[in-house]
């Protein structure tokens, strides 16, 4: 395609908390400055900034990315915000990638931030406007409805039990116990704890879903010659992909995420992946709900349709398994500051592939990972493949 | 570099900080009101609801009957061709039993959102609505349902002209 190779050379993040005292700007600055520090760059050496954040309505601030852009280091620089709802955190580095791959910039700082906590009494109030204004919003919908409807469709199609799905929440919350930024790490949590938690919108129970979270994550992208000067451990962006399904979400097959498959095919083609299950060593799929990890693993073509629950039961997706999935702890464990959570997955692959993930390090010598996020009206898939 | 150094600790607030009034809360009264245009397709859809009827649009190229109706087929990317009546009966594709309101206030009796395929629309072309007059324990995917309409003089051209669907 005539594109330059692009590497991730630095990453930083804030702790994910339920309600942070810091403003969005302050969170951005903390994450961005940590990312720069990690690759010993200063903001003057950054050519362009990409920011990602989900709905403006959480903060009650319109054009929120411009509002926090000073904290993201964008003052006086080419700046772009990408917004595909929950898919933003993996879309933003894809945008940063084409900024650098195109030859337009040598370095790009990607910053994703979310403060979900300001909306009172609950950020669901801010979410209701995603529904169609005439045919759906008038019914007084609850955001949980659409996920519960999807989870039920998935369970029913493949005869999956709640117990099978709860294992995902257990795995991720246990993994997160090793993450220094995590909100919900819990080494001792069990399937029974998940099944005993309060029913929100059956089949979704409280511990099936990630909580309201605040936080920020940043990564630094660099063109190959710059990357090689900065580090002897660059992690390459090998492929990016994104795809959108229809916003007539009730018209779709709710048991299979076609949008993820489309995005994955684009990213895999770019990365030269023909057999994902064999060629990918770590997966960080988007897991705001436990069933979504399973759904997305199937969309990423890492397991056959309806096959991800069994793979989870078999331990394949454990950190020590054949295909570690969300070794970070994911959104269910580290937390879910929406756009930041997606970029956290990119940061995790960066640390994992460099062997710098500490207690979370997957064994062996992982060479390639895939991160994925999902958003808008359950319709967008964003995928990034990274390798060393 | 160890990751611990790359994580800024942040400072979190606890529930008690809110109860004790340690958090500044500004209330902002949004004055915005929206005068939405219904558009051609949804305008007709809503007008027909007032008449106690459900309609879709048919694309003669892919041969789909689309509900909610639209003036274009997103698959063929061409205009849809004709109005197509659909029945007020259908089949539940998926459902939930929701025990919380949008503002997270708990409900004793769940709301039951459903996605249903209306008879006469193409298979898989579902709409979202709610189920009523149903024992939550008895709801099943595949259950047959029918619209419960408001009396004609109470209808106003809204999706709520159907109060809910009920099992048949
Ligand atoms: Zn068509």
């Amino acid at each position: 395609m005539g594109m330059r190779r692009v590497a991730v050379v630095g990453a930083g993040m804030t702790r994910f908390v339920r309600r942070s005292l810091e403003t969005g700007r302050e969170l951005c600055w903390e994450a961005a400055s940590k990312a720069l520090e990690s690759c010993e760059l200063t903001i003057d050496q950054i050519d362009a900034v990409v920011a990602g954040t989900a709905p403006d309505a959480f903060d009650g601030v319109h054009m929120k990315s411009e509002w926090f852009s000073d904290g993201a280091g964008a003052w006086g620089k080419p700046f772009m915000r990408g917004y595909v709802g929950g898919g933003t955190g993996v879309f933003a580095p894809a945008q940063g990638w084409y900024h650098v791959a195109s030859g337009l910039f040598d370095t790009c700082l990607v910053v994703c931030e979310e403060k979900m906590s300001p909306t009172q009494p609950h950020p669901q109030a801010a979410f209701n406007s995603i529904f169609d204004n005439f045919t759906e919003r008038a019914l007084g919908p609850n955001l949980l409805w659409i996920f519960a409807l999807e989870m039920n469709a998935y369970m029913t199609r493949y005869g999956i039990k709640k117990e099978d799905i709860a294992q995902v929440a257990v795995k991720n919350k246990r993994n997160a116990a090793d993450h220094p930024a995590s909100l919900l790490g819990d080494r001792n949590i069990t399937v029974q704890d998940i099944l005993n938690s309060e029913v929100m919108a059956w089949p979704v129970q409280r511990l099936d879903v990630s909580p309201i979270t605040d936080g920020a994550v940043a990564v630094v992208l660099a063109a190959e010659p710059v990357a090689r000067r900065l580090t002897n451990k660059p992690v390459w962006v090998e492929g990016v992909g994104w795809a959108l399904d229809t916003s007539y979400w009730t018209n779709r097959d709710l048991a299979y995420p076609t949008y993820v498959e489309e995005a994955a095919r684009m990213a895999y083609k770019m990365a030269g992946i023909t057999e994902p299950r064999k060629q990918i060593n770590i997966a960080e799929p988007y897991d705001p709900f436990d069933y979504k990890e399973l759904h997305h693993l199937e969309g990423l073509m890492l397991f056959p349709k309806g096959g991800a629950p069994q793979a989870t039961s078999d331990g394949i997706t454990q950190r020590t398994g054949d295909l570690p999935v969300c070794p970070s702890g994911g959104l269910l464990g580290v937390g879910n500051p929406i756009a930041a959570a997606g970029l956290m997955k990119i940061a995790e692959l960066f640390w994992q592939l460099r062997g710098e993930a500490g207690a979370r390090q997957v064994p062996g010598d992982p060479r390639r990972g895939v991160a994925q996020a999902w958003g808008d009206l359950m319709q967008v898939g964003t995928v990034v493949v990274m390798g060393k | 570099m160890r990751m611990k150094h790359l994580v800024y600790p942040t400072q979190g607030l606890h529930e008690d900080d809110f109860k004790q009034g340690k958090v500044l809360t500004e209330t902002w009264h949004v004055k915005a009101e929206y005068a939405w245009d219904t558009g051609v397709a949804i305008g007709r859809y809503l007008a027909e609801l007032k008449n106690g009827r459900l309609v879709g649009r048919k694309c003669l190229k892919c041969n789909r009957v689309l509900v909610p109706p639209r003036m274009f087929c997103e698959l063929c990317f061409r205009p849809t061709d004709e109005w197509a009546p659909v029945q007020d009966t259908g089949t539940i594709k998926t459902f939930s039993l929701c025990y919380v309101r949008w503002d997270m206030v708990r409900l004793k009796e769940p709301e039951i959102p459903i996605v249903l395929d209306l008879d006469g629309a193409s298979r898989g072309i579902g709409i979202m609505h709610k189920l009523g007059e149903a024992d939550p324990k008895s709801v099943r995917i595949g259950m047959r349902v029918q619209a419960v309409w408001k009396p004609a003089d109470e209808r106003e051209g809204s999706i709520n002209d159907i109060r809910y669907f009920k099992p048949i």
Side-chain angles (χ1 to χ4, degrees):
Chain A
M1 272 197 308
M3 295 285 193
R4 298 197 292 177
R5 286 184 91 194
V6 179
V8 181
V9 294
M13 69 189 292
T14 69
R15 230 184 106 85
F16 287 2
V17 294
R18 185 170 165 88
R19 293 185 173 100
S20 75
L21 284 174
E22 289 85 351
T23 64
R25 285 188 179 111
E26 289 167 341
L27 291 174
C28 283
W29 186 81
E30 298 296 352
S33 60
K34 293 284 179 213
L36 290 170
E37 181 191 325
S38 74
C39 54
E40 298 178 359
L41 282 180
T42 64
I43 194 67
D44 302 339
Q45 293 164 292
I46 294 297
D47 293 342
V49 174
V50 167
T53 185
D56 291 348
F58 285 157
D59 296 78
V61 175
H62 190 47
M63 302 197 296
K64 182 175 147 187
S65 63
E66 287 79 356
W67 171 72
F68 71 49
S69 59
D70 291 294
W75 184 80
K77 291 188 195 297
F79 174 75
M80 180 189 272
R81 173 190 187 176
Y83 174 51
V84 284
T88 301
V90 174
F91 185 54
Q95 282 179 287
W97 169 83
Y98 61 67
H99 277 12
V100 179
S102 64
L104 201 56
F105 305 107
D106 282 338
T107 55
C108 180
L109 176 64
V110 180
V111 184
C112 288
E113 177 269 1
E114 211 74 66
K115 273 199 85 161
M116 298 178 75
S117 67
T119 336
Q120 302 299 317
H122 195 277
Q124 282 219 78
F127 265 130
N128 276 354
S129 62
I130 71 170
F131 288 97
D132 184 274
N133 46 1
F134 292 114
T135 60
E136 292 177 344
R137 220 180 294 176
L139 298 170
N142 178 327
L143 189 74
L144 285 167
W145 286 9
I146 55 178
F147 309 117
L149 291 165
E150 196 177 69
M151 181 168 173
N152 193 11
Y154 177 61
M155 288 171 64
T156 305
R157 165 82 55 87
Y158 299 111
I160 301 164
K161 294 195 193 70
K162 283 276 316 188
E163 291 84 329
D164 303 333
I165 292 178
Q167 299 178 91
V168 174
V170 170
K171 169 178 70 70
N172 292 1
K173 288 172 196 294
R174 287 187 179 185
N175 281 351
D178 294 322
H179 200 302
S182 85
L183 172 64
L184 292 170
D186 185 343
R187 220 175 285 290
N188 302 313
I189 199 159
T190 65
V191 165
Q192 211 51 48
D193 293 332
I194 313 292
L195 298 179
N196 291 343
S197 66
E198 177 191 9
V199 176
M200 315 275 281
W202 192 90
V204 174
Q205 290 174 257
R206 178 171 284 284
L207 296 181
D208 290 314
V209 53
S210 56
I212 296 159
T213 319
D214 297 350
V217 180
V219 301
V220 179
L221 302 178
E224 181 165 17
V226 180
R228 293 215 186 271
R229 280 205 300 278
L230 288 171
T231 174
N232 56 7
K233 287 196 287 184
V235 175
W236 304 104
V237 177
E238 295 185 335
V240 300
W242 60 94
L244 199 61
D245 205 331
T246 174
S247 60
Y248 294 102
W249 63 276
T250 52
N251 289 182
R252 290 203 321 248
D253 175 6
L254 294 174
Y256 184 71
T258 307
Y259 47 89
V260 175
E261 182 181 324
E262 300 281 342
R265 286 189 187 282
M266 176 176 164
Y268 290 168
K269 189 178 175 203
M270 202 178 294
I273 293 175
T274 49
E275 293 181 273
R277 179 68 182 79
K278 285 186 184 154
Q279 291 168 276
I280 289 169
N281 309 125
I282 308 174
E284 278 280 344
Y286 204 56
D287 61 323
F289 293 79
D290 42 14
Y291 82 95
K292 281 314 281 189
E293 172 167 309
L294 302 167
H295 221 209
H296 291 154
L297 284 169
E298 293 168 19
L300 288 165
M301 297 170 282
L302 292 167
F303 298 107
K305 290 180 184 178
Q310 188 61 49
T312 307
S313 300
D314 293 345
I316 293 170
T317 62
Q318 293 287 334
R319 194 182 279 145
T320 51
D322 189 51
L323 179 66
V325 174
C326 291
S328 63
L331 280 58
L332 289 162
V334 190
N336 180 29
I338 300 178
L343 195 60
M344 178 271 286
K345 291 176 171 293
I346 300 291
E348 180 70 8
L349 293 183
F350 172 69
W351 285 314
Q352 289 284 354
L353 295 173
R354 282 162 66 107
E356 294 176 355
R360 304 189 315 290
Q361 185 63 48
V362 307
D365 181 29
R367 304 201 63 78
R368 187 182 280 117
V370 63
Q372 172 263 332
W374 154 78
D376 282 342
L377 195 50
M378 307 209 299
Q379 73 196 111
V380 68
T382 55
V383 174
V384 168
V385 176
M386 289 160 64
K388 67 180 182 192
Chain B
M1 199 170 311
R2 296 196 20 238
M3 185 195 163
K4 204 185 289 180
H5 299 131
L6 303 174
V7 175
Y8 173 75
T10 76
Q11 302 179 57
L13 284 168
H14 297 284
E15 200 65 45
D16 286 347
D17 295 320
F18 281 75
K19 287 182 187 145
Q20 292 161 16
K22 290 183 185 169
V23 176
L24 174 68
T25 303
E26 289 269 6
T27 304
W28 166 56
H29 294 284
V30 185
K31 296 289 185 201
E33 288 188 21
Y34 295 90
W36 282 313
D37 299 307
T38 56
V40 181
I42 297 297
R44 173 78 182 266
Y45 186 59
L46 298 175
E48 291 289 0
L49 284 167
K50 198 169 179 177
N51 296 326
R53 291 191 290 259
L54 279 153
V55 291
R57 282 284 291 183
K58 186 165 191 179
C59 171
L60 293 174
K61 186 157 182 235
C62 63
N63 210 26
R64 292 190 305 161
V65 174
L66 304 163
V67 186
R70 45 259 198 192
M71 299 314 293
F72 55 88
C73 173
E74 75 280 5
L75 205 67
C76 307
F77 216 61
R78 61 180 289 282
T80 47
D81 300 281
E82 57 193 39
W83 292 97
V86 294
Q87 278 72 64
D88 72 350
T89 51
T91 306
I92 293 180
K93 265 172 70 167
T94 184
F95 68 94
S96 170
L97 308 174
C98 188
Y99 290 88
V100 290
R101 267 184 358 198
W102 65 271
D103 54 0
M104 302 312 275
V105 169
R106 269 54 185 168
L107 300 170
K108 268 208 151 58
E109 287 303 314
E111 282 192 284
I112 311 177
I114 56 175
V115 174
L116 76 155
D117 273 353
L118 292 168
D119 294 335
S122 289
R123 223 174 106 78
I125 298 290
I127 64 163
M128 181 168 77
H129 215 293
K130 291 186 283 192
L131 190 69
E133 299 181 35
D135 172 5
K137 288 192 198 71
S138 71
V139 188
R140 294 285 175 270
I141 289 176
M143 190 179 233
R144 297 282 298 154
V145 294
Q146 179 161 30
V148 175
W149 294 86
K150 281 184 181 168
D153 58 346
E154 287 178 30
R155 290 184 213 139
E156 49 188 12
S158 153
I159 193 67
N160 287 311
D161 289 349
I162 296 173
R163 288 192 204 278
Y164 47 77
F165 284 76
K166 67 169 186 185
I168 47 173

